[in-house]
Coordinates of all heavy atoms in Angstrom, one line a residue:
I1386 N 91.2 112.6 79.4 CA 92.2 112.3 78.4 C 91.7 112.5 77.0 O 92.4 113.2 76.2 CB 92.6 110.8 78.6 CG1 93.3 110.6 79.9 CG2 93.6 110.4 77.4 CD1 93.6 109.1 80.3
H1387 N 90.5 112.1 76.7 CA 90.0 112.4 75.3 C 89.9 113.8 75.0 O 90.3 114.3 74.0 CB 88.6 111.7 75.2 CG 88.0 111.9 73.9 ND1 88.4 111.3 72.7 CD2 87.0 112.7 73.5 CE1 87.7 111.7 71.7 NE2 86.8 112.6 72.2
E1388 N 89.3 114.6 76.0 CA 89.2 116.1 75.8 C 90.6 116.7 75.6 O 90.8 117.6 74.8 CB 88.5 116.7 76.9 CG 88.3 118.2 76.8 CD 87.7 118.8 78.0 OE1 87.2 118.1 78.9 OE2 87.7 120.1 78.1
G1389 N 91.5 116.3 76.5 CA 92.9 116.8 76.4 C 93.5 116.6 75.1 O 94.2 117.5 74.6
Q1390 N 93.3 115.4 74.5 CA 93.9 115.1 73.2 C 93.4 116.0 72.2 O 94.1 116.4 71.2 CB 93.7 113.7 72.9 CG 94.4 112.6 73.8 CD 94.0 111.2 73.6 OE1 92.8 111.0 73.2 NE2 94.8 110.3 73.8
Q1391 N 92.1 116.5 72.3 CA 91.5 117.4 71.3 C 92.1 118.8 71.4 O 92.2 119.5 70.4 CB 90.0 117.3 71.5 CG 89.3 116.0 71.4 CD 89.7 115.2 70.2 OE1 89.6 115.6 69.1 NE2 90.2 114.0 70.4
I1392 N 92.3 119.2 72.6 CA 92.7 120.6 72.8 C 94.2 120.9 72.8 O 94.7 122.0 72.7 CB 92.1 121.2 74.1 CG1 92.6 120.5 75.3 CG2 90.6 121.2 74.0 CD1 92.1 121.1 76.6
N1393 N 95.0 119.8 72.8 CA 96.4 119.9 72.9 C 97.0 120.8 71.8 O 97.7 121.8 72.0 CB 97.1 118.5 72.8 CG 97.9 118.1 74.0 OD1 97.8 118.6 75.1 ND2 98.7 117.1 73.8
A1394 N 96.8 120.3 70.6 CA 97.4 121.0 69.4 C 97.0 122.5 69.3 O 97.8 123.3 69.1 CB 97.2 120.2 68.2
P1395 N 95.7 122.8 69.4 CA 95.3 124.2 69.2 C 95.8 125.1 70.3 O 96.3 126.2 70.0 CB 93.7 124.1 69.3 CG 93.4 122.7 68.9 CD 94.5 121.9 69.4
L1396 N 95.9 124.6 71.5 CA 96.4 125.4 72.6 C 97.9 125.7 72.4 O 98.4 126.8 72.5 CB 96.2 124.7 74.0 CG 96.7 125.6 75.2 CD1 95.7 125.6 76.3 CD2 98.0 125.0 75.7
F1397 N 98.7 124.7 72.1 CA 100.1 124.9 71.9 C 100.4 125.7 70.6 O 101.4 126.5 70.6 CB 100.9 123.5 71.9 CG 100.8 122.8 73.2 CD1 100.6 121.4 73.2 CD2 100.9 123.5 74.4 CE1 100.5 120.8 74.4 CE2 100.9 122.8 75.6 CZ 100.6 121.5 75.6
A1398 N 99.6 125.6 69.6 CA 99.7 126.5 68.5 C 99.5 127.9 68.8 O 100.2 128.8 68.3 CB 98.8 126.0 67.4
A1399 N 98.5 128.2 69.7 CA 98.3 129.6 70.1 C 99.4 130.1 70.9 O 99.8 131.3 70.8 CB 97.0 129.6 71.0
W1400 N 100.0 129.3 71.8 CA 101.2 129.7 72.6 C 102.4 130.0 71.6 O 103.0 131.0 71.9 CB 101.6 128.6 73.5 CG 100.7 128.5 74.7 CD1 99.5 129.2 75.0 CD2 100.9 127.7 75.9 NE1 99.0 128.8 76.2 CE2 99.9 127.9 76.8 CE3 101.9 126.7 76.2 CZ2 99.8 127.2 78.0 CZ3 101.8 126.1 77.4 CH2 100.7 126.3 78.3
Q1401 N 102.6 129.1 70.7 CA 103.7 129.4 69.8 C 103.5 130.7 68.9 O 104.5 131.4 68.7 CB 103.9 128.2 68.8 CG 104.5 127.0 69.5 CD 104.7 125.8 68.6 OE1 103.8 125.2 68.1 NE2 106.0 125.6 68.3
A1402 N 102.3 130.9 68.6 CA 102.0 132.1 67.8 C 102.3 133.4 68.6 O 102.7 134.4 68.1 CB 100.5 132.1 67.3
A1403 N 102.1 133.3 69.9 CA 102.4 134.4 70.9 C 103.8 134.3 71.4 O 104.2 135.2 72.3 CB 101.4 134.4 72.0
D1404 N 104.6 133.3 71.0 CA 106.0 133.2 71.4 C 106.1 133.1 72.9 O 107.0 133.7 73.5 CB 106.8 134.4 70.9 CG 108.3 134.1 70.9 OD1 108.7 132.9 70.8 OD2 109.1 135.1 71.0
L1405 N 105.3 132.2 73.5 CA 105.3 132.0 74.9 C 106.2 130.9 75.4 O 106.7 130.9 76.6 CB 103.9 131.7 75.5 CG 102.8 132.9 75.4 CD1 101.5 132.4 75.9 CD2 103.3 134.1 76.1
L1406 N 106.5 130.0 74.5 CA 107.3 128.8 74.9 C 108.8 129.1 74.6 O 109.1 129.6 73.5 CB 106.9 127.6 74.2 CG 105.6 127.0 74.7 CD1 105.1 125.9 73.7 CD2 105.7 126.4 76.1
R1407 N 109.6 128.7 75.6 CA 111.1 129.0 75.4 C 111.9 127.8 75.7 O 111.7 127.2 76.8 CB 111.5 130.1 76.3 CG 112.9 130.6 76.2 CD 113.1 132.0 76.7 NE 112.3 132.9 76.0 CZ 111.9 134.1 76.5 NH1 112.4 134.5 77.7 NH2 111.2 134.9 75.8
P1408 N 112.8 127.3 74.8 CA 113.6 126.2 75.2 C 114.6 126.6 76.3 O 115.1 127.7 76.3 CB 114.3 125.9 73.8 CG 114.2 127.2 73.1 CD 113.0 127.8 73.5
T1409 N 114.8 125.6 77.2 CA 115.7 126.0 78.3 C 116.3 124.7 78.9 O 115.8 123.6 78.6 CB 115.0 126.8 79.4 OG1 115.9 127.3 80.3 CG2 114.0 125.9 80.1
T1410 N 117.3 124.8 79.8 CA 117.8 123.8 80.6 C 117.6 124.3 82.1 O 118.1 125.4 82.4 CB 119.2 123.5 80.3 OG1 119.3 122.9 79.0 CG2 119.8 122.4 81.3
I1411 N 117.1 123.5 82.9 CA 116.9 123.9 84.3 C 118.0 123.1 85.1 O 118.1 121.9 85.2 CB 115.6 123.5 84.9 CG1 114.5 124.3 84.1 CG2 115.5 123.8 86.4 CD1 113.1 124.0 84.6
E1412 N 119.0 123.9 85.7 CA 120.0 123.3 86.5 C 119.7 123.5 87.9 O 119.4 124.6 88.4 CB 121.3 123.9 86.1 CG 121.8 123.7 84.7 CD 123.1 124.3 84.3 OE1 123.7 124.9 85.2 OE2 123.6 124.1 83.2
L1413 N 119.8 122.4 88.7 CA 119.4 122.4 90.1 C 120.5 122.0 91.0 O 121.2 121.0 90.7 CB 118.2 121.5 90.3 CG 116.9 121.8 89.5 CD1 115.9 120.7 89.7 CD2 116.4 123.2 89.9
D1414 N 120.7 122.7 92.1 CA 121.6 122.3 93.2 C 120.8 121.5 94.2 O 119.8 122.0 94.8 CB 122.1 123.6 93.9 CG 123.1 123.2 95.0 OD1 123.3 122.0 95.3 OD2 123.6 124.2 95.6
L1415 N 121.1 120.2 94.3 CA 120.4 119.3 95.2 C 120.9 119.2 96.6 O 120.4 118.5 97.4 CB 120.3 117.9 94.6 CG 119.7 117.8 93.2 CD1 119.8 116.4 92.6 CD2 118.3 118.3 93.1

């Protein structure tokens, strides 16, 4: 948990810089 808290922000910043994250809605037929 401690290590994860340290790497969270840098990793997601790198993803955003590369435009990897996309907002979406997942619709499922149950």
Side-chain angles (χ1 to χ4, degrees):
I1386 294 173
H1387 177 73
E1388 178 186 349
Q1390 291 170 334
Q1391 305 308 307
I1392 63 178
N1393 241 19
L1396 182 133
F1397 295 138
W1400 283 8
Q1401 287 183 287
D1404 199 25
L1405 292 181
L1406 286 169
R1407 184 159 302 162
T1409 190
T1410 294
I1411 298 178
E1412 297 183 357
L1413 301 176
D1414 180 358
L1415 303 178

